[in-house]
Amino acid sequence: MTPDLDAIVTDIIAAMAQEDDRGTVASYIPELAKVDPAQFGIAIATADGRLISGGDADIGFSIQSVSKVFALTLALGKVGDQLWDRVGREPSGNAFNSITQLEHEQGIPRNPFINAGAIVVTDINLGGHQPRVAIGEMLRFIRYLAGEDTIAINEAVAASETATGFRNMALANYMRAFNNVRHPVELVLGSYFHQCAIEMSCRQLALAGRYLMLDGGHPGGGRVVSPRRARRINALMLTCGHYDASGDFAFRVGIPGKSGVGGGILAIVPGRASIAVWSPGLNTSGNSQLGTLALEELARRTGWSVFSPPEEGD
Ligand code: GLU
């Protein structure tokens, strides 16, 4: 049975407005601490070309670590499976910015969705160029995926993180000591902080994620990645997309998702939907409190899960 997404979105927005516990807005990046926690947005791009959205779905927010999905896609396009010589594919079970694990693992980060892994991916995407070239490429890629030319970087957020990102500097320097970061650390981080500071609305983010619901195809025709690569990226989102709460997210929501400390989550129902939710307040694991709740409710109401048996006609 086709779920009535308009009704479900309306109900979810009403339910989220009633929630008292909205989590805490990230403050370790000072610019993010200024965001009003009362906001909530949701957008669902479906495989049959519809876009259902509600709440603050048109307000731009800092995508932060959701950018790691697009950065990984670009890097795999550049170096293919060689990427896995430098980054693992296992859930970390540790916080997003953990430094201790790196020492045990000789500078090879657990997966591309923790900060250390994303910094290596950024190093790959730099490919000997200046950060502005790599950042320009990333912006063009995201605009092409979303079909929206207005997507841009919030320079104030990038500057705020550049001024305070000491932990990421430590991670990058540490990996440089193992030669797993190959460019000068300031160039890699310049690129990394800017990609995290890309600003998108839920509507734009849901549109940008469509290739992952379409087995790697671009909705406008042609292919972004092969079906195998799209499935692998989804697998990593399911197992590693929510840091040390990835298991809990898979248990509660049951679909691949990637969160960011800006409060956004991109979630994919293969063959059915690309979903973006946003609410700036985070839970103790650094994932959007209301965003996670909303996705849990959406999955419950629609029956969407990567663990459900195929429906007739699938
Ligand atoms: N720019 C953030 C950082 O590196 C991203 C973290 C996140 O979104 O989880 O700390």
Side-chain angles (χ1 to χ4, degrees), residues 14 50 65 84-85 106 159 179 184 197 231:
R50 286 178 305 142
S65 282
W84 306 119
D85 297 338
Q106 304 282 302
N179 195 33
R231 290 171 199 178

Side-chain angles (χ1 to χ4, degrees), residues 91-276:
S92 70
N94 270 318
F96 68 101
N97 55 7
S98 170
I99 210 158
T100 48
Q101 200 161 45
L102 264 184
E103 171 145 40
H104 295 298
E105 296 178 350
Q106 304 282 302
I108 308 281
R110 269 288 170 101
N111 67 64
F113 294 153
I114 52 173
N115 283 10
I119 290 169
V120 173
V121 167
T122 308
D123 188 61
I124 292 169
N125 282 335
L126 257 184
H129 298 292
Q130 287 299 313
R132 73 184 144 70
V133 176
I135 294 160
E137 183 182 32
M138 171 72 109
L139 259 185
R140 277 194 302 282
F141 181 54
I142 290 181
R143 287 172 177 168
Y144 152 76
L145 293 175
E148 297 251 347
D149 279 345
T150 54
I151 296 167
I153 290 169
N154 182 326
E155 289 294 342
V157 172
S160 182
E161 194 170 3
T162 306
T164 57
F166 304 113
R167 257 191 113 90
N168 286 322
M169 288 171 212
L171 289 170
N173 275 300
Y174 195 67
M175 292 188 291
R176 182 115 160 105
F178 286 97
N179 195 33
N180 202 17
V181 164
R182 312 250 163 103
H183 297 80
V185 163
E186 28 335 326
L187 300 189
V188 179
L189 289 177
S191 191
Y192 172 77
F193 293 147
H194 278 81
Q195 93 190 11
C196 288
I198 292 173
E199 207 158 83
M200 293 169 83
S201 65
C202 286
R203 198 175 48 75
Q204 291 169 329
L205 189 56
L207 292 173
R210 288 172 298 179
Y211 73 107
L212 292 171
M213 85 165 149
L214 297 175
D215 228 12
H218 191 288
R223 201 148 261 303
V224 181
V225 292
S226 66
R228 185 164 86 145
R229 186 160 290 166
R231 290 171 199 178
R232 288 176 158 186
I233 295 170
N234 280 329
L236 287 166
M237 287 169 73
L238 185 73
T239 52
C240 311
H242 283 74
Y243 307 118
D244 44 340
S246 298
D248 192 54
F249 185 84
F251 181 83
R252 285 170 60 187
V253 181
I255 57 176
K258 180 74 203 89
S259 74
V261 290
I265 303 176
L266 172 65
I268 304 296
V269 192
R272 292 208 158 79
S274 166
I275 307 154

Side-chain angles (χ1 to χ4, degrees), residues 68-87:
K68 291 171 179 164
V69 174
F70 305 119
L72 173 67
T73 306
L74 268 184
L76 284 169
K78 287 181 199 295
V79 299
D81 283 344
Q82 281 176 25
L83 184 139
W84 306 119
D85 297 338
R86 294 174 60 184
V87 186

